[in-house]
Amino acid sequence: MSKLHVAVLMGGWSAEREVSLMSGEGVAQALESLGHRVTRIDMDRNLATVIEGVKPDVVFNALHGTPGEDGTVQGMLDLMGVKYTHSGLVTSVIAIDKELTKQALVPHGIRMPAGEIVESETLYRGDPMARPYVLKPVNEGSSVGVAIVTADGNYGNPIGRDVEGPWQKFERLLAEPFIRGRELTVAVLGDEALAVTELQPKSGFYDFDAKYTEGMTEHVCPANVPDDVRDAAMEMALKAHEVLGCKGTSRSDFRWDDEQGVEGLCLLEVNTQPGMTPLSLVPEQAKYRGMTYAQLVQRIVEEAL
C-alpha cells in the first residue's frame, strides 16, 4: 500500500475519552512507523472544519463511545465524502444500542440474555426482575455504568435513591438476568474470527477499571475452554459481525455458564470500535495470530480504502 496521509481521530468528550486518547496515540505511532503521514485530531465540535483543513486520505476512527461510535461522526464523514475506518452509520447506530443489537441478532439464532428497558426512577420502588440481575446503560461501552444487583448487595432493597449507581446518571437502563460463569471475548478482523480470550478480573467483575488498569485482569489467550465452546464463540462473533455489517474489526463479549456446556454461552454485546491500547484485546488476539500491532493497524486502514 502506498504511503498515505491518515488523520487519527481520538479523544472527544465521552466517558471513554482517556481510553480513546491512548488508542489513538498507539495507532498514530504505528502508522508513523510504517512511513505514513499522520495528523492527530482530538475531536471537538469544530471537527468538520478541522478535517476539511487537514484533507486526509483516510480517517482512522479511534473514538470510543458517543458521538464517535454511535453513527454521529460516521454520518458527518459520509456527508463530507471522507473515507474512515471501522463500521458505517447504520451499523454504528444499531451496535451502540444494546436493545437494538438484540433485535438485530436474536432472530438470526444468536443467543443473548433476555432483557427489558427500565426507567431508572422505577428502581427506587422495586426490582424489575428477580435478583441477581445486571443494570447497564443502553448505549455506552467499556462497561461504563454497569451494576450487578444481588440479594445481599449494598445498593439496598429497593435500590436506594442516594446510593451511587447508573440510575443516578441515566434515565433509562437495560436490565438483564445475571449469568454466572466466565467472561469470554472474540475479536473479528475482516472476515475472520481471531481467537477466544478469557478475562479473569483479580476482584469483582470486568468493569471499566478492570479493563484499563494494568494488573487488575488476567487475559488468558487462547482461553482454556472446550473446543465446542471455542468454536461456538468464534462462530457467533463472526455471524454477529456479518449480520450487523461491521467493517474493519469488531469485538464480541460473552458470558459462559460453564455448568451448562455450549448452551450456557451468551453474547452480551458487539463493540464496533474496540480499544487499541496496550491492554486492549484485539491487538492481543492479533499478536496470538502472528500479527504485529502495526500490521493490525495497516489491515484496518486497508479495509477502509
Side-chain angles (χ1 to χ4, degrees):
M1 186 170 68
S2 60
K3 302 310 178 187
L4 301 167
H5 179 196
V6 184
V8 179
L9 185 54
M10 62 182 98
W13 52 84
S14 80
E16 300 172 71
R17 170 179 168 77
E18 295 305 319
V19 179
S20 173
L21 289 172
M22 287 191 288
S23 288
E25 184 56 32
V27 167
Q29 291 182 18
L31 289 167
E32 288 172 336
S33 76
L34 295 169
H36 299 296
R37 177 187 167 202
V38 174
T39 298
R40 294 161 171 80
I41 301 176
D42 186 346
M43 184 181 70
D44 61 19
R45 299 185 188 276
N46 296 317
L47 179 60
T49 302
V50 173
I51 290 178
E52 183 63 30
V54 169
K55 293 183 169 54
D57 297 310
V58 61
V59 169
F60 194 107
N61 188 351
L63 294 167
H64 303 316
T66 58
E69 198 172 351
D70 65 354
T72 303
V73 166
Q74 288 80 2
M76 184 202 73
L77 294 172
D78 286 340
L79 284 172
M80 296 178 69
V82 176
K83 294 183 174 70
Y84 56 92
T85 62
H86 297 85
S87 298
L89 189 157
V90 174
T91 298
S92 300
V93 168
I94 294 171
I96 195 72
D97 187 302
K98 296 175 177 66
E99 186 66 12
L100 290 179
T101 301
K102 288 181 195 288
Q103 293 172 11
L105 296 182
V106 170
H108 289 270
I110 296 176
R111 189 165 46 249
M112 301 185 74
E116 60 181 275
I117 303 296
V118 299
E119 301 296 326
S120 295
E121 186 70 21
T122 66
L123 298 171
Y124 306 133
R125 299 194 294 271
D127 294 324
M129 58 183 63
R131 300 189 181 197
Y133 63 90
V134 180
L135 290 170
K136 59 183 75 171
V138 177
N139 55 5
E140 290 283 351
S142 290
S143 301
V144 171
V146 175
I148 300 176
V149 182
T150 61
D152 56 353
N154 58 2
Y155 295 130
N157 191 1
I159 291 172
R161 188 181 294 273
D162 58 344
V163 177
E164 184 177 352
W167 40 85
Q168 293 181 329
K169 301 175 184 177
F170 303 94
E171 292 183 2
R172 300 168 71 246
L173 296 167
L174 175 63
E176 294 176 339
F178 175 73
I179 300 172
R180 67 157 303 279
R182 296 157 66 179
E183 194 98 23
L184 307 177
T185 192
V186 178
V188 175
L189 178 62
D191 59 359
E192 182 181 16
L194 296 181
V196 181
T197 298
E198 181 175 1
L199 307 164
Q200 299 177 342
K202 299 295 177 64
S203 63
F205 72 103
Y206 192 54
D207 59 6
F208 185 90
D209 289 337
K211 286 186 177 184
Y212 298 115
T213 305
E214 189 167 4
M216 286 190 65
T217 299
E218 182 179 357
H219 297 182
V220 181
C221 180
N224 183 21
V225 298
D227 290 352
D228 60 345
V229 173
R230 176 202 64 206
D231 294 345
M234 293 177 73
E235 180 181 340
M236 288 168 68
L238 181 57
K239 189 170 185 179
H241 183 95
E242 293 172 344
V243 169
L244 292 174
C246 298
K247 302 292 185 184
T249 186
S250 70
R251 195 192 75 240
S252 290
D253 296 336
F254 298 86
R255 287 288 288 183
W256 176 46
D257 184 342
D258 50 4
E259 293 181 354
Q260 297 187 36
V262 72
E263 296 301 316
L265 183 67
C266 275
L267 175 67
L268 297 180
E269 62 181 278
V270 178
N271 302 273
T272 56
Q273 284 168 217
M276 295 287 286
T277 76
L279 298 180
S280 293
L281 294 152
V282 174
E284 185 176 66
Q285 291 192 3
K287 182 179 180 180
Y288 167 71
R289 294 295 299 271
M291 193 180 310
T292 67
Y293 183 92
Q295 289 170 333
L296 170 63
V297 171
Q298 180 95 338
R299 280 279 303 275
I300 295 170
V301 171
E302 287 172 351
E303 182 156 345
L305 296 172

